[in-house]
Amino acid sequence: MSNSKQDTAGKLSLLTQVKASFSNQSALLVVTLVVLGVVFQITSQGIFLTTNTLGTVLNDWGSYILLAVAQTFVVITGGIDLSVGATVSLSSVVAGWVLVRGLGLDSTTTGSDATPYVLLAVFVSLMVGLTVGAINAFLINVLRIVPFIATLATMGAMAGLAIIISGGMPLQGPNNWELGIPYNVFGIQLPISTTVLAVIIITVICGLVLHKTKFGLHTFALGSNSFATRAAGISPAKQITKVYMLSGGLAGLAGAYAYIRLGAGSPSNGSGMELYAIAAVVIGGVSLMGGVGRMVGIALGTLVLFTVQSGLLMVKVVTVSPSLKQVIVALLIVAAVAVQTLQKSGRK
Amino acid sequence: MNKRILKVGFAALTAAALTLGITGCAPEKKLTIAFVMGAESDPFFQAMKVGAEAEALAQGVDLIWQGDPSAYDVATQVPIVDNVLAQSPDGLVLIPTDPTGLQASADKATAAGVALALVDTTINDTTNAVITITGDNGDGGAKAADAIANAIGYTDGETYEVVVGLTSATATTNVGRLEGFKARVASDYPGILIKDVAYSASNPQTANSNVNNWLTKYPNLKGIFAIDGTNASGAAAALQAKGLVGKIALVGYDAYPANVELIKSGVFTALIAQDPAAEARLAIQALVAFIKNGTNPSVKDVVIPNVTLDANTSDDDFAKYTYVAIN
């Protein structure tokens, strides 16, 4: 083969690779992140790509990624879980109630003295979340209510319970603020805190569960073809129970995250979060029709969403009004869905 | 003849007396007042509910308390008002989440003969309302400017960077407070520069994120005006986590018990407090008087002043203005 032919073959191969990369949602999201990083670094006059700002972006990411992961499992089965935001509120409130009303503690307990109580808050929140997930599964499996309506009902019920339990007020309890502060290693400030690190580990584990285990395989199978799943000997009801309990448990942990972030359990801690979780899932490339989705895409999609949120606030060269920010986020979601649709039509 | 006249007269009198007696003895119809608030998860509305329930009991009226559990949103409030009106209440106390978006709902209520009171926020055309009641949001914003200026030791000729955390662009309370804040800054503290505003959409985590970003964007930040309780909670957590308590003046709105405690520990420089329970009581009183007697209130547009709570506030005033929870 002559050199020119090799060059041509190499160029074709490179072109094919680039095309393949852009047909991949995750690669596209990485490129988007890089572009956003450069644009915001310039427009913020050099303060966007700093550990402080990235720390805030990752802190927001930590608040929402657990819900996005929860939503991913559910959406892949062809369902939806609208109750995750209300579960965040309820679980943080119950955790706050246990510490403040149950144990008689208040916000004066801080630092390492508060750590055991924070861990108790995490445990309580997880239990609350698992319970909500079990209720959702019961409504879907036993009462045969479609997931949208079932989780809409629990969303209302859990939001109401959070108000009843808290009396509508934030329950300010013991907190170790250090857990949410980014690490400083040998004088070098990192953008990652203990809480964010914990969330990254949970996300990686969930990714492995989704893509490398039988449980994940059954989740995809259920969303692709529930009849074939049943024919293969997999019980859809059992799988739905596991998936919705996982979703509830993750939402419960997001409630614990909110408690640690704010030092309080409040009925508004999860306000509107379910919609951002769904948006992150869509941007991350999960098909709302079920059966399709990758955890890497979800992690990146959520990161894109909160990079935009923080980045627009950091812009200095022009004033980006909060209303314009909402429009830009909405356009981002539309663009993500449009890319998915184009990819599908391209594959056909 | 005379006997006959007497008999007829007696019968007529008896019948009249019986009729009057029956009418007089008939139990008076119990009034129903519907109360549609903004977002039940907001402690402000919980404190309002305490006042509404107490006044409904005192007036002997049935109370329908409704509203979205967590979203302060025109899209969810309109169908709630429709559902409440379908129950044919005698009066409606409405906290409109948007002055334009709730106009049609308010007009629908008054067209159906339902007496209307507007509380906390308002609509564009209040002609048909029996009463409008609000905290003096403009004055509250001005008081917040005073509190920040006092905390940062404002001196003419110096410049000071401050930011404002809002919940939404259209909530009339937010708008009123921001305008009052800006007006007082312009007139009395020209060295205070309002560098930025951002929305929290009623989520304290979003408010927390906004403040964290501002702390990076404005390294010389001197003050934060958190325009409502949600923003106050988020901002307080940000300052505590970053060890900036006492270094940046934080003035919040709404006297949540948890936030009042944080005045004492120095996290909040001051809180501007309203009296939501008093607003609810006054609204129900006005509607009952109007429905029963056709009496209009002596003042149609009532403004209840706000107060500044800070480290110098007496325990009695703290007790008076701290929002009371339902349970």
Side-chain angles (χ1 to χ4, degrees):
Chain A
M1 194 185 281
S2 68
N3 282 345
S4 63
K5 279 186 177 175
Q6 279 179 349
D7 286 349
T8 309
K11 280 176 188 170
L12 278 173
S13 165
L14 184 65
L15 194 65
T16 312
Q17 281 176 21
V18 170
K19 273 187 175 175
S21 297
F22 274 87
S23 68
N24 178 309
Q25 187 91 0
S26 298
L28 200 57
L29 288 169
V30 171
V31 173
T32 306
L33 275 173
V34 171
V35 171
L36 288 173
V38 171
V39 169
F40 287 136
Q41 178 69 357
I42 294 166
T43 54
S44 71
Q45 298 177 341
I47 59 165
F48 184 74
L49 296 177
T50 60
T51 48
N52 276 343
T53 310
L54 296 181
T56 303
V57 171
L58 286 175
N59 203 4
D60 287 343
W61 179 85
S63 286
Y64 286 85
I65 185 64
L66 293 174
L67 300 188
V69 170
Q71 205 67 255
T72 300
F73 278 92
V74 173
V75 169
I76 285 173
T77 66
I80 197 158
D81 189 349
L82 298 176
S83 67
V84 290
T87 305
V88 170
S89 296
L90 180 65
S91 56
S92 76
V93 159
V94 174
W97 190 93
V98 168
L99 298 181
V100 176
R101 305 264 168 85
L103 299 178
L105 299 163
D106 60 26
S107 59
T108 56
T109 306
T110 55
S112 56
D113 290 347
T115 304
Y117 301 115
V118 170
L119 291 174
L120 177 61
V122 174
F123 175 75
V124 170
S125 300
L126 178 62
M127 290 301 114
V128 171
L130 289 171
T131 307
V132 177
I135 293 169
N136 281 332
F138 173 80
L139 295 175
I140 295 164
N141 286 330
V142 180
L143 300 185
R144 302 283 177 193
I145 301 172
V146 293
F148 185 92
I149 302 298
T151 57
L152 185 67
T154 43
M155 177 176 92
M158 299 310 140
L161 265 181
I163 295 165
I164 291 167
I165 293 168
S166 65
M169 308 284 174
L171 293 161
Q172 195 112 25
N175 194 26
N176 185 354
W177 296 102
E178 292 286 330
L179 297 172
I181 296 174
Y183 292 122
N184 190 318
V185 182
F186 303 118
I188 300 168
Q189 186 76 35
L190 302 177
I192 293 174
S193 62
T194 304
T195 47
V196 169
L197 183 62
V199 166
I200 290 172
I201 292 168
I202 294 168
T203 306
V204 170
I205 292 170
C206 286
L208 293 172
V209 167
L210 183 64
H211 298 298
K212 301 289 181 190
T213 68
K214 204 184 279 182
F215 174 80
L217 196 64
H218 290 177
T219 304
F220 278 107
L222 189 62
S224 301
N225 190 331
S226 61
F227 295 107
T229 309
R230 205 187 303 269
I234 302 163
S235 162
K238 277 186 185 170
Q239 191 63 22
I240 282 172
T241 302
K242 288 176 193 170
V243 166
Y244 278 88
M245 283 188 71
L246 176 64
S247 176
L250 289 167
L253 290 176
Y257 190 99
Y259 178 89
I260 298 167
R261 184 174 187 182
L262 299 167
S266 166
S268 56
N269 276 358
S271 187
M273 287 181 80
E274 61 281 342
L275 297 179
Y276 274 103
I278 293 168
V281 162
V282 170
I283 294 170
V286 176
S287 165
L288 290 177
M289 304 306 288
V292 178
R294 291 198 64 78
M295 200 58 80
V296 173
I298 302 310
L300 292 169
T302 311
L303 197 54
V304 166
L305 191 56
F306 290 98
T307 297
V308 172
Q309 294 271 8
S310 276
L312 290 173
L313 194 67
M314 302 305 276
V315 170
K316 281 185 169 180
V317 291
V318 289
T319 303
V320 182
S321 74
S323 309
L324 182 60
K325 195 171 138 182
Q326 289 176 337
V327 173
I328 291 171
V329 171
L331 289 175
L332 183 71
I333 295 167
V334 171
V337 177
V339 167
Q340 279 182 38
T341 311
L342 289 173
Q343 283 173 348
K344 272 185 196 165
S345 61
R347 278 197 287 269
K348 281 173 188 170
Chain B
M1 183 72 183
N2 283 344
K3 274 187 181 176
R4 197 176 166 197
I5 290 170
L6 277 173
K7 275 183 184 172
V8 171
F10 181 75
L13 278 171
T14 307
L18 279 171
T19 309
L20 283 171
I22 289 164
T23 312
C25 290
E28 195 177 341
K29 187 200 162 208
K30 200 173 184 187
L31 298 180
T32 300
I33 304 292
F35 204 121
V36 180
M37 45 77 200
E40 198 169 30
S41 59
D42 188 333
F44 178 82
F45 294 114
Q46 290 293 312
M48 190 172 271
K49 189 178 182 183
V50 171
E53 287 180 337
E55 191 58 36
L57 193 66
Q59 297 279 348
V61 300
D62 287 331
L63 181 72
I64 302 172
W65 176 265
Q66 281 295 337
D68 191 273
S70 58
Y72 189 91
D73 188 355
V74 60
T76 56
Q77 194 180 36
V78 169
I80 290 171
V81 176
D82 285 344
N83 285 333
V84 160
L85 291 178
Q87 297 175 53
S88 305
D90 300 289
L92 170 67
V93 183
L94 178 64
I95 287 100
T97 51
D98 186 274
T100 306
L102 267 297
Q103 184 70 54
S105 299
D107 291 345
K108 187 176 168 185
T110 51
V114 178
L116 176 70
L118 299 162
V119 173
D120 191 47
T121 45
T122 191
I123 51 177
N124 293 329
D125 180 4
T126 61
T127 311
N128 295 326
V130 174
I131 190 168
T132 73
I133 305 163
T134 183
D136 190 342
N137 290 302
D139 177 61
K143 283 188 164 109
D146 291 338
I148 284 185
N150 188 39
I152 61 182
Y154 181 84
T155 310
D156 280 330
E158 301 287 326
T159 56
Y160 308 87
E161 294 182 345
V162 302
V163 288
V164 184
L166 303 158
T167 271
S168 81
T170 55
T172 53
T173 46
N174 279 210
V175 173
R177 291 167 198 172
L178 183 60
E179 284 176 356
F181 185 76
K182 283 180 174 173
R184 180 60 61 90
V185 163
S187 63
D188 291 17
Y189 314 111
I192 290 181
L193 310 174
I194 302 168
K195 299 295 287 186
D196 228 336
V197 299
Y199 304 147
S200 70
S202 294
N203 188 318
Q205 294 199 77
T206 308
N208 179 269
S209 172
N210 291 339
V211 172
N212 281 327
N213 278 320
W214 280 328
L215 292 174
T216 305
K217 189 175 181 182
Y218 306 110
N220 297 318
L221 191 68
K222 296 294 180 200
I224 300 169
F225 176 29
I227 215 155
D228 56 19
T230 303
N231 279 284
S233 296
L239 295 189
Q240 288 177 95
K242 299 228 170 195
L244 293 171
V245 169
K247 293 174 185 164
I248 292 175
L250 173 59
V251 175
Y253 227 99
D254 292 332
Y256 295 4
N259 288 348
V260 168
E261 285 302 312
L262 293 178
I263 293 178
K264 294 168 186 171
S265 56
V267 177
F268 282 103
T269 308
L271 285 174
I272 311 300
Q274 308 172 82
D275 198 346
E279 291 181 11
R281 283 196 299 270
L282 191 56
I284 292 175
Q285 281 168 16
L287 286 189
V288 171
F290 179 79
I291 296 163
K292 280 186 176 172
N293 312 319
T295 315
N296 279 307
S298 53
V299 179
K300 184 182 173 182
D301 298 314
V302 179
V303 177
I304 297 179
N306 294 314
V307 294
T308 304
L309 304 179
D310 58 23
N312 300 319
T313 301
S314 69
D315 287 344
D316 283 349
D317 276 351
F318 273 131
K320 181 180 174 186
Y321 288 103
T322 301
Y323 295 173
V324 180
I326 286 294
N327 51 359

